Amino acid sequence: MFNIFRIAAVTLLTLFAAVRLSAQTSLKGKIIDSSTKEPVTGATVQCTAGCACGCATTALGEFELKHMGSCCKSFRVSSIGYQALVFDAGNAAGSPVTVIQLQQENNALQSVVVTANREGVKRSLAPVAVSTVSSRMIQETKPVTVDQVLNKVSGVYMVNLGNEQHSMSIRQPMTTKSLFLYLEDGIPIRTVGLFNHNALLEMNMASVKSIEVIKGPSSSLYGSEAIGGVVNFITAAPPVIPVAKISVQGNSIGYKRTDLQTGSTSGKWGFAFNGYYADKRNSFMEYTDFHKGAVTARVDYNFSSRTTLSNSYTYLDYYSDMTGGIDSAMYGNKSFNSKHTFTYRKVNAQRLRSTLNHTWNDHSKSTAAIVYRNNSIGQNPAYAVKDDYRRTSSGEWKGQKDLAHGEINEASFNSYAMILQHKQKLNWHQTALIGGVSADFSPSAYTAGYIGINRDSVSGKYTGYAASDSMLTHYNSDVNNYAAFMHVETSPFEELRLVASLRYDRFNYRFNNFLPPSAYSGAPDSRNNFSRVSPKVGFIWNFSQRTGIYTNYSEGFVPPQVTEMYKGVKVPDLVPSVFRNYEVGGWAELIRGKLSADVSLYRMRGSDEIVSMMMDDGSYQNRNAGETLHQGVELGVTANPLKSLSFRFSGALSKHRFETFEEKGVAYDGKEMNGAPRWMHNAEAWYRPAYINGLRVGIEWQKIGRYFLDPVNTVKFSGYDVFHFRAGYSWKAMEVWMNVMNAGDSYYAYTASKSNYGYSYTPGEPRNLTLGVSYDLGSLFRKGRAD
């Protein structure tokens, strides 16, 4: 009997040990981003004991460790752009799925950038000047407008024109011209030939996870308008764990906003719904009210670990008073009264995108995307208001003092696009090929009707208007773009990475004018075709994992916009403007984990730029007659002397010059371009004390140097310096923040200009306080889960 009990006991102990050993030799988990709760792909999970136990996460952030050794007590998780983390395998083994959250690094030199090659590559392998605005930077800044984060990038100045309206400066003067390409997940926000300098107000910032900026021409990968730079907004994917964050904020100059960010993953399905509603009333400047509602819904389906389908729909409704700038007298007197009482801009935009990704094997991946855009912009524009009473060429004043002229216009388009792309890795010298084709069909329409405006002859205010049946412009146009591209990367030596890109674009324009051709209505019915081949070649040499240099040559082009080609033109006869860029740069981690820097030097020449030239009969005609030169140096420095203290400096020294340029009978040869500051920088410091976990305090300094107000270089604007203070505190699922913008209450203008009509200033906001609070209701669903 004793032997039977002894055998039974030994058997039970053996079974218990086997079960326990089985539990300890298998571990499943998910690695996610602590900010966005999205899966981290390609993260490495490695045993700290130095054995061979380890694996990498899948596209869904999942990992599974099998047959762990008895020495595997803990594991180290690491991924590019994230702080490494060690977790205890023993504590995690009892959970069916272990969820591990990684925090983003402050130093982004080794981050992965998608925009550099359309697929994703380490920053140290991309021979371009590229910067990333991380999700951590966005969440800590709490921007009210996009410029508050984009202007942190060296060489970038997004000009705030009020209520999310803007112009841009990236390796170009401050301009509204079509010299910048704006992408959403690698796809243009708007279609070719219908550029709008306010395109970024069509973004839903509640759905933006991060932003990538490539400075310089990138037409070889992305086509037209990629001249000064490419700005790519990476949107949020469905989070791995439930998220339902609600936030509210408001400031002391009339701005209020509510955000909703939700999402989760269940089995093969992933869902995300993000949006916000903003409203501003009775601000510091008259007639600057606005409201905006934007929502993005995304549904992902994972057929398998190799095949995923992502579907995204964005809807935006926007309205803003359009007060225009103020003149020199108002600016000098600090008067914020507006002459315009009824001008407006309203935008309705929809974007639908469906993307299928399939990974054939470890070396081969294909992507297919279809896109639909529907967009309309209606305006009673302040810039179109012209006084009837004005000085003639002989110096006399003529006309009615109580009358002005204006227009109400609407531009709309539908767009249907398809992009096919394939990536193939080769075993030969780590070579990778990325190629594809795209097609974009975009019918559009434009109408403009005349209005007579009542003007108070004493105050100068425009008090009302009367619509008429006089049609100034009415046309339809079709812009079709077909493209094929190829990108090649290879490493003949371990330290050297060679990169080359080539893209062919063809454009078919069809213009149908419903009015008799004239200076207002536009050209007669026309058909025009353009084509362009855009190359880019460069290399990067990595002396070590901490230091590298690069150089590249690239070309960019801009086809004539529909308005340049046909509006107010007798004979449409234009070709694309071309920009040729030479660039060198480098990056270095000077002190490991403490100090890093990157620098780029560029020289870019533009030719065949479109200018408005005076004809012999006194009329004006668009011609390819402008040549410009752009050169400069950009510097970024990041320092983390202590774990709780971080510094960032982003600066640019540049010069932009007219080479051969005659516009409306006036030559600007050899002059500096107006609206082009020689120096600008943005510096920032953050303090995150270890003794108060979750607290952050930061200060930011934005400087814009002096620049000429006019192209003949007669007068300069002094530029400005402005400081911002930010503080926030996160505790569990709640976060509160306070931003003091323009903390020193500086009086300045975001931008200033001079024309034949006088001076114009866009005044900067006075000191204002923003308070906000958010709470993640998703935490209630996550209780009891290991996260």
Side-chain angles (χ1 to χ4, degrees), residues 654-668:
S654 56
K655 186 175 182 180
H656 306 278
R657 188 177 72 199
F658 295 108
E659 292 286 274
T660 302
F661 213 96
E662 181 178 328
E663 190 169 27
K664 295 184 178 180
V666 180
Y668 307 139

Side-chain angles (χ1 to χ4, degrees), residues 172 177 179 574-579 605-612 623-630 657-658 660-661 673:
Q172 292 284 332
K177 290 186 176 181
L179 299 174
L574 295 171
V575 299
S577 305
V578 179
F579 293 78
R605 187 179 296 274
S607 60
D608 287 329
E609 296 191 46
I610 298 173
V611 299
S612 180
R623 288 284 185 264
N624 293 105
E627 293 187 1
T628 57
L629 178 65
H630 313 267
R657 188 177 72 199
F658 295 108
T660 302
F661 213 96
M673 298 181 73

Side-chain angles (χ1 to χ4, degrees), residues 81-97:
Y82 290 90
Q83 299 176 19
L85 179 147
V86 175
F87 71 94
D88 187 345
N91 293 336
S95 180
V97 176

